[in-house]
Amino acid sequence: VVVDEAQDLGLLDFKVLKKIIPNATFSIFGDLNQAIFSYLSVNDWDSVKDKVFDSNADIIMMNQSYRTTDEIMREANKISEFLTGTSSKDIIRHGNEVQYISCDKNSEVLFAVEIIKEYQGNGYKSIGIICKTEDETVKVNKQLAESGIIARNVTPSDREYQGGLCTITCDLAKGLEFDATLLMNVDSKNYNPSHDIDMKLLYVGMTRALHETNVISSGELPNILQKKGEKIKIKK
């Protein structure tokens, strides 16, 4: 039995699987940094090993990332290290630095339009404009349309993503990948470092791009994105 996205299952789920398929061997794959359904998920893999499999299991850390560039993974690792003390190694595929764009609220969409056009000019086919909430995606999608940029707004009722430009929430983007992404409204109020769920959603958003990602904020960035002594490149 192979279980993927296993961080979204709880101990009861694993116990039921073990009960109804008692003679199976299990391969369970999951990333606790992406456990965005905290009311469902396990807190650690040791509890699954001990309470479900009576300690008769091996835990293997697979920390090699094959999706993102080195530049993107360095930024995402800041969140991962904060959440679980872990970090991912990448395959050293380089791209552009993650750009942090600080602007006033009224300029967010202007910068978004500029970046989207740059992405399209670079030949990127799948582009995700990632927001935290559904309300934000609706608002951003409408503002983009008013600026001449037509994007599909992905909702929970959609069963698949077929590429192209879209607005989408962090939770719906989990499991997907894009050529390039743009994270909107990334400030310490919207993504509060003291709230685990906010940081996990941010981690999911930061790790969706194959080639390039950028971040727009009209407020103060979450402090974990800036390590002590490091100067983040900010474009105003």
Side-chain angles (χ1 to χ4, degrees), residues 14-216:
F14 290 117
K15 287 182 177 181
V16 169
L17 284 172
K18 187 71 171 66
K19 180 73 173 179
I20 63 177
I21 323 174
N23 296 321
T25 58
F26 285 79
S27 296
I28 298 170
F29 301 93
D31 180 358
L32 293 178
N33 292 311
Q34 298 186 51
I36 60 176
F37 306 109
S38 57
Y39 58 94
L40 293 173
S41 58
V42 295
N43 294 320
D44 57 73
W45 299 120
D46 285 319
S47 61
V48 178
K49 175 182 176 179
D50 297 337
K51 296 180 180 180
V52 179
F53 297 101
D54 298 323
S55 300
N56 186 25
D58 294 318
I59 298 175
I60 301 172
M61 302 304 294
M62 303 170 68
N63 61 357
Q64 187 80 48
S65 171
Y66 292 91
R67 174 184 293 128
T68 63
T69 62
D70 181 67
E71 287 76 12
I72 295 173
M73 205 66 243
R74 284 204 311 266
E75 297 306 304
N77 275 337
K78 295 175 182 177
I79 308 170
S80 176
E81 289 166 1
F82 175 79
L83 283 170
T84 59
T86 62
S87 62
S88 295
K89 299 176 183 177
D90 54 64
I91 55 173
I92 313 299
R93 181 172 59 85
H94 288 289
N96 292 334
E97 293 286 344
V98 175
Q99 199 172 195
Y100 291 89
I101 299 165
S102 176
C103 61
D104 61 68
K105 198 70 178 173
N106 295 328
S107 301
E108 285 181 332
V109 172
L110 295 177
F111 278 108
V113 169
E114 178 185 323
I115 291 170
I116 291 168
K117 289 180 177 178
E118 287 180 5
Y119 283 169
Q120 292 172 333
N122 290 335
Y124 297 143
K125 301 300 182 184
S126 58
I127 302 171
I129 311 302
I130 300 178
C131 305
K132 183 182 175 184
T133 68
E134 284 187 57
D135 287 345
E136 286 178 18
T137 62
V138 171
K139 180 180 178 181
V140 169
N141 192 280
K142 180 180 178 181
Q143 291 174 327
L144 289 174
E146 291 170 350
S147 300
I149 300 292
I150 304 302
R152 175 184 176 185
N153 187 45
V154 179
T155 70
S157 62
D158 291 314
R159 305 310 304 167
E160 59 183 7
Y161 166 66
Q162 298 178 332
L165 175 65
C166 74
T167 50
I168 189 170
T169 57
C170 293
D171 62 307
L172 292 180
K174 188 168 73 72
L176 298 179
E177 63 183 27
F178 304 88
D179 290 333
T181 59
L182 175 61
L183 276 67
M184 301 292 293
N185 197 20
V186 181
D187 60 41
S188 57
K189 182 178 180 181
N190 206 24
Y191 292 94
N192 189 333
S194 65
H195 298 159
D196 260 15
I197 182 62
D198 285 358
M199 294 298 95
K200 289 175 179 177
L201 288 170
L202 183 57
Y203 179 80
V204 168
M206 289 284 283
T207 53
R208 297 305 94 199
L210 288 166
H211 306 295
E212 191 170 352
T213 194
N214 289 291
V215 175
I216 290 180

Side-chain angles (χ1 to χ4, degrees), residues 75 78-79 100 220-234:
E75 297 306 304
K78 295 175 182 177
I79 308 170
Y100 291 89
E220 182 181 358
L221 281 170
N223 56 13
I224 65 168
L225 288 177
Q226 186 168 350
K227 289 184 176 178
K228 188 176 180 180
E230 178 185 30
K231 183 174 178 58
I232 282 184
K233 179 181 178 183
I234 295 179

